[in-house]
Amino acid sequence: MDAIFNPADDAPECVRIKGVHKFFGAVHVLRGIDLSIRRGEVCVVIGPSGSGKSTLLRCINQLEGISAGRIYLNGELIGYREANGRLNSLPEAKIAVQRRSTGMVFQRFNLFPHKTAVENVMEGPLKVKKTPRAEAIRRASELLERVGLADRANYYPTQLSGGQQQRVAIARAMAMEPNILLFDEPTSALDPELVGEVLDVIRGLAKTGITMMVVTHEIGFAREVGNHLVFMDGGMILEEGPPAEVIAAPKNARTQSFLAKVL
């Protein structure tokens, strides 16, 4: 079995999050997040429900604006233009261009119900990147084969199981060739017997050097596949480090309490 890809210690940053806060009205959801993810790294994020994990992903993907702080992707400030120390929001068209650098896989699959699996995967390259149709079909077919669904290319979402739909969603995210793949609890909406097939796909991706950030409740999977674990609670990062070390010997009392309940 191929080993999980481990980036070099001096690998450049893919994502840099500095002092990020997020408010929803009076609710302070993210409270000063600082985080660095290197290229080729699999950063797994664990923590109780409501700790801000999904919101953090949505801020990286610019589905949510931040209230304070900065997020950089490959060294580029996203969502804003900085001038004289002040931030000005970018126009939506520019944000849409930046968003192409991130691929998002949601809890719910969000496939187009009226399009087949291959049509779902090729939609982004066709409409956003203006990829020629023949090339988009070829690439989509390759990606469906990669996630084990070459024989389901012409099936509609209603003809696929939840696990198969999620694998199509992963192929769709990869079709845009993003700098980072973001997974928001990708198995939480699946029946237990379907979880493994989705985790196997992500496990395979982790061996290739694709940068990923995975919010998950699957602690064993986090230990096996991640090379950087982040524990969040109350909108803050309370502990981070190599997954095996954090899971085996957490230093923070809240991390200890959480892991004692889920392991």
Side-chain angles (χ1 to χ4, degrees):
M1 181 182 294
D2 295 335
I4 300 302
F5 180 86
N6 280 301
D9 291 340
D10 60 350
E13 286 181 332
C14 179
V15 175
R16 162 65 76 173
I17 302 170
K18 297 178 65 176
V20 164
H21 291 258
K22 174 63 180 179
F23 288 87
F24 288 108
V27 181
H28 198 176
V29 178
L30 298 178
R31 299 170 176 261
I33 299 293
D34 291 298
L35 179 63
S36 173
I37 301 172
R38 294 173 295 158
R39 291 182 195 169
E41 192 169 78
V42 179
C43 178
V44 288
V45 186
I46 65 172
S49 298
S51 58
K53 306 183 301 295
S54 296
T55 299
L56 181 58
L57 287 193
R58 292 176 66 84
C59 287
I60 296 171
N61 198 40
Q62 301 195 68
L63 294 174
E64 299 286 354
I66 59 177
S67 304
R70 289 163 174 75
I71 300 176
Y72 298 87
L73 183 60
N74 287 336
E76 179 185 5
L77 179 66
I78 63 171
Y80 299 90
R81 177 176 57 84
E82 188 168 3
N84 299 320
R86 300 188 63 180
L87 296 180
N88 298 291
S89 296
L90 292 175
E92 183 57 39
K94 175 62 174 175
I95 289 175
V97 171
Q98 290 185 335
R99 193 178 288 127
R100 297 180 196 176
S101 295
T102 59
M104 187 87 166
V105 179
F106 300 89
Q107 296 178 28
R108 297 288 176 177
F109 326 119
N110 292 350
L111 299 178
F112 296 113
H114 61 291
K115 293 182 180 293
T116 63
V118 71
E119 289 170 340
N120 265 279
V121 177
M122 59 191 282
E123 180 75 5
L126 273 178
K127 296 294 179 64
V128 178
K129 300 180 77 171
K130 309 302 181 186
T131 302
R133 185 172 184 84
E135 171 62 17
I137 293 173
R138 183 193 66 79
R139 175 64 173 155
S141 299
E142 287 180 352
L143 289 170
L144 287 174
E145 182 174 6
R146 187 170 180 178
V147 300
L149 290 174
D151 61 339
R152 297 292 189 270
N154 294 314
Y155 284 52
Y156 289 91
T158 55
Q159 298 173 302
L160 301 172
S161 70
Q164 290 170 336
Q165 290 185 63
Q166 191 64 295
R167 284 188 278 157
V168 173
I170 293 171
R172 180 181 61 182
M174 293 170 60
M176 293 297 288
E177 299 180 321
N179 295 122
I180 185 170
L181 283 173
L182 307 171
F183 293 86
D184 185 8
E185 298 186 20
T187 61
S188 66
L190 300 178
D191 292 334
E193 67 268 23
L194 302 178
V195 168
E197 65 188 59
V198 173
L199 294 183
D200 282 343
V201 170
I202 302 174
R203 188 179 288 110
L205 295 177
K207 298 172 182 176
T208 68
I210 296 174
T211 311
M212 296 191 284
M213 188 172 183
V214 185
V215 171
T216 182
H217 289 297
E218 305 285 342
I219 305 300
F221 174 78
R223 180 197 292 113
E224 174 193 354
V225 171
N227 35 44
H228 179 184
L229 183 140
V230 170
F231 174 73
M232 288 184 65
D233 191 25
M236 296 181 288
I237 293 175
L238 298 185
E239 189 164 355
E240 61 180 307
E245 292 181 15
V246 174
I247 293 170
K251 297 180 175 63
N252 183 277
R254 183 65 186 95
T255 316
Q256 295 169 3
S257 172
F258 174 81
L259 289 173
K261 293 176 180 177
V262 299
L263 288 177

